[in-house]
Amino acid sequence: MGFFDHLQPKGCKALKPEPPRIRKEVDHSTPPPTRMTVTPTSTRSNTPVLPNRLAGKRARLSVKGPTSTPTSQSPKPRKRTVSEQPRLESDSDDDGSGQAFDQPNKRIRLSEDVEYDKTRRLRCESAFLEDDDAKFPMIHAADIASLDTSTKYKPAFPGSLDSYTILVQYPSATHAEKYVNAKRKPIWRILKFVSRYELVVPFQFDDFNPLEDIKVTLDVITDFYCSAPDTAALKDDGHGLLRRLKRARDKGAGEDYLKLILEWNDTITKIRKNGDISRTIDTTKRLDLKLIERILTQTYSRTVSPRVGLLRQYENGTDNIYGELLPKFVSDILNKDTRLRSSDIFVDLGSGVGNVVLQAALEVGCESWGCEMMENACELAELQEKEFKARCRLWGLAIGEIHLERGDFLNNAATLKILQKADVVLVNNQAFTPELNDRLTSHFLDLKEGCKVVSLKSFVPSGHKITSRNLNSAYNVLEVVEKRYYSACVSWTDAPGSYFVSTKDSSKLKAFAKTASRQASV
């Protein structure tokens, strides 16, 4: 089941990419000796996540061994089912690549061919001021998952904590909120920038699960915000706080679970106050994809998921067909294909609910623009933007400027103006009509030299050549490179496909014109 499968209307077939070209390779290297590690059995996430294949890629990075031989058959798109939750994150069951529970994850995963942005500022300094009184309203987990929606949720710890609201501490230091026990006399407790949860679980597997959200959130905070000694202590397989919290949840021990959440709040507050969290962020070269996925997932699940029915209202066979690129694919585009930097400008034409715009602002820290004409998608994008900014403050991270425009990107004045300054333009034109693609291509003449355009269909016809008859064509200034994406990259299919990176380069056109002029003068 692909991310955003719930957006595919009944009876509508998935877009089919061209058959993949598979190259058979066999790794003859000798696998290293097996090391015995004690890995805890984790309960499976109730939040739909990216398939195990994505986590498997990380596993293959750390353990070399014989690779399986791929078949020559084209994979068939999976049958779609309706789900309200996004598959934005790697599967927690497989994450860690066989790593022992008490071993901290590597905070920085930098491939050798990608240089990190030395000018990027990751930490939001104002979010760590202890006397900061700024308020950033956000949607708490208790607002979308509670016993008030009795047809969807039930108590997580029946009998002991039938109706209980807790607060969970995040890395930053803003806001003061109250801690309220809904069954007993209220207990007042000052906490800095927390998120409110009600201890309930869903009846349906695909619905938002507050306890799973807490588990994944605490894991991510521990892995990417704490120092190595603190991470090891929190994840200790015997007496670590996260291990004890998991035991309490698995045993249904509500009172123990509550006490351990309070212990977490005190622990992370202490770590923040001694400066360890700020130092960890300041020494991090680039945000890890797992952290990015966590923030995007939290934002989406609190804004888009409860209103996901709005995205089913599109007209099939037109340009207004909804589909998304998934975070891992977007991350590769931003870092490997285009090498976007925090000083650059990113533009997404047909930005939908704004997922890619938000990811670019967070992952790269650049000025990020999006333009969308579907009203329902625009409404959800604006909800996401508001929640996303509060969430990034909650996590203590600095982001780039975000601009979301409504309307047709071919007629939107602000979008057309920023296109002339853009460094990277993304166009998910998989379902665009040929007429729209042609109209959009003409605007590429106004792009600055070196600007890169990433699309799922090439804007330049195969075999195109510059001639004296087509000198004014935009095709002449685009240098196109075809690339391949694989499973878990787009929302409408799990099958692999092609995408294209075009670079604005007028040198060939100028050389042709110069040669033609010289020949004409002879």
Side-chain angles (χ1 to χ4, degrees):
M1 182 176 66
F3 177 48
F4 281 110
D5 283 345
H6 52 277
L7 305 178
Q8 187 74 23
K10 294 181 179 179
C12 180
K13 297 182 180 179
L15 296 168
K16 296 182 179 179
E18 63 182 59
R21 299 185 292 272
I22 298 178
R23 182 175 60 190
K24 183 175 179 180
E25 293 184 357
V26 179
D27 186 354
H28 297 286
S29 60
T30 304
T34 304
R35 298 180 61 184
M36 297 297 293
T37 58
V38 179
T39 305
T41 302
S42 58
T43 57
R44 188 163 185 81
S45 167
N46 283 328
T47 301
V49 292
L50 290 177
N52 294 349
R53 293 184 297 276
L54 187 57
K57 291 180 182 178
R58 281 201 285 267
R60 289 192 292 273
L61 291 176
S62 59
V63 180
K64 293 183 179 179
T67 58
S68 59
T69 304
T71 63
S72 59
Q73 270 188 325
S74 301
K76 297 180 180 179
R78 294 185 178 181
K79 197 170 183 179
R80 302 178 185 280
T81 56
V82 175
S83 170
E84 293 185 359
Q85 291 300 310
R87 291 167 57 180
L88 281 169
E89 294 180 285
S90 305
D91 197 321
S92 58
D93 289 344
D94 295 326
D95 188 56
S97 305
Q99 193 174 32
F101 187 87
D102 60 344
Q103 295 298 315
N105 287 345
K106 293 181 180 179
R107 291 182 175 80
I108 306 165
R109 299 189 184 112
L110 296 175
S111 58
E112 295 180 357
D113 59 338
V114 178
E115 294 182 3
Y116 71 94
D117 186 354
K118 297 180 180 180
T119 63
R120 172 73 201 281
R121 179 174 55 89
L122 293 179
R123 181 166 61 93
C124 176
E125 295 180 3
S126 58
F128 289 89
L129 299 176
E130 297 293 335
D131 57 350
D132 183 20
D133 293 327
K135 295 185 181 299
F136 293 85
M138 63 181 180
I139 302 173
H140 292 271
D143 297 328
I144 62 171
S146 69
L147 293 181
D148 293 338
T149 54
S150 57
T151 59
K152 299 184 69 175
Y153 290 92
K154 59 185 178 180
F157 304 103
S160 59
L161 300 174
D162 285 339
S163 179
Y164 212 100
T165 302
I166 65 171
L167 299 179
V168 175
Q169 181 67 51
Y170 277 69
S172 63
T174 312
H175 283 220
E177 294 192 67
K178 59 184 179 180
Y179 171 85
V180 180
N181 179 337
K183 285 185 64 178
R184 309 184 185 95
K185 184 178 179 180
I187 302 173
W188 296 91
R189 183 181 182 88
I190 298 298
L191 291 173
K192 294 289 187 178
F193 218 152
V194 291
S195 187
R196 191 173 67 250
Y197 292 83
E198 188 164 323
L199 297 182
V200 294
V201 292
F203 286 106
Q204 299 295 326
F205 177 83
D206 285 345
D207 286 334
F208 175 76
N209 188 329
L211 267 63
E212 185 64 21
D213 191 79
I214 292 173
K215 174 192 176 297
V216 178
T217 297
L218 269 54
D219 284 342
V220 171
I221 294 174
T222 301
D223 286 339
F224 304 114
Y225 283 82
C226 299
S227 64
D230 288 332
T231 300
L234 287 167
K235 301 186 76 171
D236 180 77
D237 196 43
H239 303 286
L241 194 156
L242 297 184
R243 170 59 72 186
R244 288 182 283 135
L245 195 64
K246 181 182 182 301
R247 288 198 201 102
R249 173 184 170 179
D250 293 345
K251 293 179 180 179
E255 296 286 354
D256 291 342
Y257 188 88
L258 172 63
K259 292 177 182 178
L260 290 169
I261 289 294
L262 293 177
E263 183 180 339
W264 163 268
N265 291 341
D266 291 338
T267 300
I268 205 68
T269 299
K270 180 180 178 182
I271 293 174
R272 185 193 70 242
K273 287 186 175 181
N274 68 22
D276 280 352
I277 291 179
S278 293
R279 283 188 290 271
T280 298
I281 299 176
D282 292 341
T283 56
T284 298
K285 295 181 179 180
R286 193 173 72 215
L287 294 180
D288 190 277
L289 182 60
K290 184 176 180 181
L291 172 57
I292 296 167
E293 289 174 336
R294 177 91 297 251
I295 297 172
L296 294 175
T297 297
Q298 287 191 328
T299 301
Y300 186 95
S301 63
R302 288 157 173 78
T303 54
V304 179
S305 288
R307 306 167 181 84
V308 74
L310 296 175
L311 294 179
R312 297 191 180 102
Q313 302 172 13
Y314 60 79
E315 185 179 352
N316 195 21
T318 70
D319 299 314
N320 297 330
I321 296 180
Y322 193 78
E324 286 285 353
L325 309 186
L326 302 186
K328 178 62 173 67
F329 185 24
V330 173
S331 183
D332 286 343
I333 291 173
L334 299 179
N335 294 299
K336 296 180 181 179
D337 295 329
T338 65
R339 298 181 182 270
L340 196 65
R341 293 294 180 260
S342 58
S343 57
D344 293 338
I345 296 177
F346 171 81
V347 180
D348 184 1
L349 299 179
S351 51
V353 298
N355 288 342
V356 179
V357 176
L358 302 183
Q359 182 171 343
L362 173 60
E363 184 166 1
V364 180
C366 63
E367 183 178 344
S368 191
W369 288 71
C371 187
E372 174 60 48
M373 66 183 301
M374 296 169 61
E375 276 300 314
N376 290 340
C378 289
E379 295 288 343
L380 295 176
E382 291 173 1
L383 286 176
Q384 279 221 102
E385 179 189 8
K386 182 179 179 181
E387 181 69 14
F388 175 76
K389 289 179 178 178
R391 291 272 149 196
C392 289
R393 180 81 175 213
L394 184 72
W395 288 87
L397 298 175
I399 58 176
E401 293 182 24
I402 298 172
H403 304 270
L404 297 175
E405 293 290 325
R406 290 181 178 233
D408 185 344
F409 50 69
L410 293 177
N411 299 316
N412 184 278
T415 301
L416 294 177
K417 183 177 180 180
I418 200 64
L419 271 178
Q420 300 176 23
K421 302 178 181 179
D423 297 281
V424 175
V425 178
L426 174 66
V427 189
N428 181 357
N429 62 339
Q430 179 71 58
F432 282 8
T433 59
E435 293 75 18
L436 179 57
N437 276 325
D438 289 342
R439 292 172 60 200
L440 178 56
T441 305
S442 64
H443 287 278
F444 294 160
L445 289 169
D446 298 326
L447 297 176
K448 68 181 184 181
E449 288 292 303
C451 176
K452 295 186 182 296
V453 179
V454 182
S455 61
L456 296 190
K457 286 183 178 179
S458 177
F459 287 101
V460 179
S462 177
H464 172 77
K465 294 182 179 180
I466 302 176
T467 68
S468 57
R469 295 182 179 182
N470 63 15
L471 288 180
N472 294 325
S473 173
Y475 302 153
N476 298 328
V477 297
L478 294 178
E479 286 294 319
V480 184
V481 176
E482 182 178 1
K483 294 177 175 287
R484 297 288 292 173
Y485 66 79
Y486 300 96
S487 61
C489 283
V490 297
S491 66
W492 53 88
T493 180
D494 279 338
S498 296
Y499 68 105
F500 302 84
V501 180
S502 305
T503 304
K504 171 72 178 294
D505 183 359
S506 304
S507 60
K508 287 187 177 180
L509 178 61
K510 292 178 180 179
F512 180 90
K514 185 177 180 179
T515 300
S517 176
R518 186 169 55 249
Q519 291 175 348
S521 62
V522 174

